[in-house]
Amino acid sequence: RNRDMVLLSMMVLQGVVIMGSKASRSRMQASRRGIRGFFKLFGKSEYEPPEVWKYEPQEGTWGKLNRPTAGPISDKELPRGKHPIQLHSMATPNGVKATVMLEELVEEYQIEYDAWPIKIGEGDQFTSGFVSINPNSKIPAMLHYVDEDKEPIRVFESGSILTYLVEQFDTKAKFLPADPRLKTECMSWLFWQMGSAPFVGGGFGHFYHYAPVKLEYPINRYAMETKRQLDVLERHLSGTEDGPTSGGPYMIGDQYTIADIAIAPWYGDLVLGRSYNASDFLEVKSYPNVIKWAKLVNDRPAYKRGRMVNRFWGDERSRVFERHSSDDFIGKTI
């Protein structure tokens, strides 16, 4: 009952804020007036954080998995295939980075790998096996069995996986430039993505698409930041910067790199209309260079295959639940 009351109250609050924002005063003043009016109407006081925060279990698909502590909540070992590389992931933007990188290496160097699905909505990331390779319980995570007589090397965090894979297998410097200046530029953009995307996914995506109640302030805050980031990419990919670090058609000029592999699943999907049903809201058509780049990256066969791996939703022809060899793509739409 308390949860329903809070939800109803928040809906009323949003309505009050919206009505207030139509007044002649500024939107911020209207929002504040609406909030105060809501609290007066329901006999509530504005939220005051307690001296010490206390955990209360949440509900919903994702909320029920949230908790303020780390570590496993169930015992389950991870499966192992026959290849030295064992990836445990899901086809979210971060997961797609790893599988695209691996598919590019399969195509260029004929390596092989096994990819096992981690259903984060069911809590697979909190099993003892997964936590043993990523104590942060986030996908993707990977084991590399370099020597059967030794413990495998664990690699977690998508940016770390990309870097590790090119260092191990990219002997031709196809995906990470050999030139020190361009290599540094590539790594800068890789870390830009790692630091910027949480504002898009955890900020804009959450409040605009996933949150049970739509609130004006966080949506405006993170929409503004998302558009600012898209403009960063638009300006860079326009190719108008001077010098060898100018972008276009790829992030590092003419060379397709791990920077593109990291950025495309987040920002490419956003401008191609795959994320959050927000194309019109964000006016993505106003970023033509980003759209052109996203299409160029998405046209790569390895990128198309990488997007399919560990995907367990959508059309059967566009997903590969588990990946153990290139034959798994036979009959798929690539």
Side-chain angles (χ1 to χ4, degrees):
R1 183 178 178 182
N2 289 337
R3 182 183 65 84
D4 293 340
M5 185 60 186
V6 170
L7 184 58
L8 175 62
S9 301
M10 292 299 288
M11 289 179 175
V12 173
L13 167 60
Q14 181 67 1
V16 172
V17 171
I18 291 173
M19 287 187 292
S21 66
K22 294 179 180 178
S24 57
R25 297 181 178 85
S26 71
R27 296 181 68 86
M28 181 59 73
Q29 290 174 326
S31 297
R32 288 173 178 167
R33 186 176 65 253
I35 292 171
R36 291 180 183 129
F38 161 77
F39 286 123
K40 182 177 180 180
L41 177 65
F42 285 92
K44 304 286 184 180
S45 60
E46 292 188 42
Y47 176 71
E48 295 182 6
E51 185 174 342
V52 178
W53 180 84
K54 300 295 183 182
Y55 167 67
E56 293 184 5
Q58 300 175 331
E59 297 184 10
T61 301
W62 304 110
K64 67 183 181 183
L65 297 172
N66 293 334
R67 57 198 176 98
T69 55
I73 61 176
S74 64
D75 290 325
K76 183 180 179 182
E77 293 302 311
L78 294 173
R80 179 182 173 183
K82 64 180 181 180
H83 302 300
I85 293 177
Q86 300 291 301
L87 181 72
H88 301 271
S89 189
M90 177 177 166
T92 65
N94 285 334
V96 166
K97 297 179 201 175
T99 49
V100 166
M101 182 76 261
L102 285 163
E103 288 299 321
E104 292 284 3
L105 293 172
V106 168
E107 191 169 302
E108 186 65 33
Y109 299 102
Q110 292 75 54
I111 73 164
E112 274 294 357
Y113 70 100
D114 294 287
W116 304 92
I118 296 294
K119 294 185 177 182
I120 60 177
E122 298 179 11
D124 288 351
Q125 69 273 33
F126 298 115
T127 62
S128 56
F130 190 84
V131 173
S132 70
I133 61 172
N134 187 355
N136 195 39
S137 293
K138 303 291 183 182
I139 60 97
M142 186 180 79
L143 289 172
H144 185 195
Y145 290 85
V146 181
D147 187 338
E148 285 296 330
D149 295 330
K150 297 180 180 179
E151 288 293 311
I153 297 173
R154 74 175 188 182
V155 195
F156 58 90
E157 288 296 328
S158 57
S160 178
I161 290 175
L162 293 181
T163 305
Y164 179 84
L165 288 172
V166 293
E167 288 178 346
Q168 290 291 312
F169 300 105
D170 187 21
T171 57
K172 304 175 188 176
K174 295 282 291 187
F175 306 105
L176 182 62
D179 178 87
R181 183 187 299 273
L182 297 180
K183 178 179 180 180
T184 302
E185 181 77 4
C186 180
M187 295 302 293
S188 294
W189 282 110
L190 171 64
F191 280 87
W192 174 84
Q193 185 279 314
M194 298 296 291
S196 299
F199 291 97
V200 177
F204 175 75
H206 174 76
F207 286 105
Y208 181 81
H209 187 71
Y210 295 111
V213 178
K214 299 296 185 287
L215 299 173
E216 183 179 7
Y217 175 78
I219 290 175
N220 283 347
R221 169 69 182 86
Y222 290 111
M224 176 175 63
E225 174 60 15
T226 297
K227 288 180 69 66
R228 188 193 70 81
Q229 292 178 20
L230 286 170
D231 194 49
V232 170
L233 292 174
E234 177 68 17
R235 291 169 181 268
H236 179 69
L237 289 166
S238 69
T240 57
E241 297 173 336
D242 293 329
T245 57
S246 178
Y250 296 110
M251 292 300 299
I252 313 301
D254 293 328
Q255 185 173 0
Y256 172 76
T257 67
I258 58 173
D260 300 285
I261 294 172
I263 296 170
W266 282 100
Y267 300 89
D269 274 17
L270 196 60
V271 298
L272 294 178
R274 296 172 178 160
S275 303
Y276 317 129
N277 296 318
S279 298
D280 292 337
F281 182 76
L282 293 174
E283 293 184 298
V284 298
K285 63 182 180 181
S286 61
Y287 307 102
N289 289 306
V290 182
I291 293 173
K292 181 180 178 180
W293 160 81
K295 291 179 177 178
L296 182 64
V297 172
N298 273 260
D299 280 343
R300 296 179 66 89
Y303 194 92
K304 294 178 180 179
R305 294 195 304 273
R307 291 190 70 247
M308 295 182 180
V309 178
N310 296 147
R311 183 178 296 271
F312 35 87
W313 61 93
D315 187 275
E316 176 67 29
R317 295 169 297 178
S318 66
R319 54 191 173 99
V320 175
F321 184 66
E322 293 180 5
R323 194 270 189 212
H324 304 291
S325 78
S326 297
D327 291 342
D328 294 325
F329 296 99
I330 295 175
K332 304 296 181 180
T333 303
I334 299 177

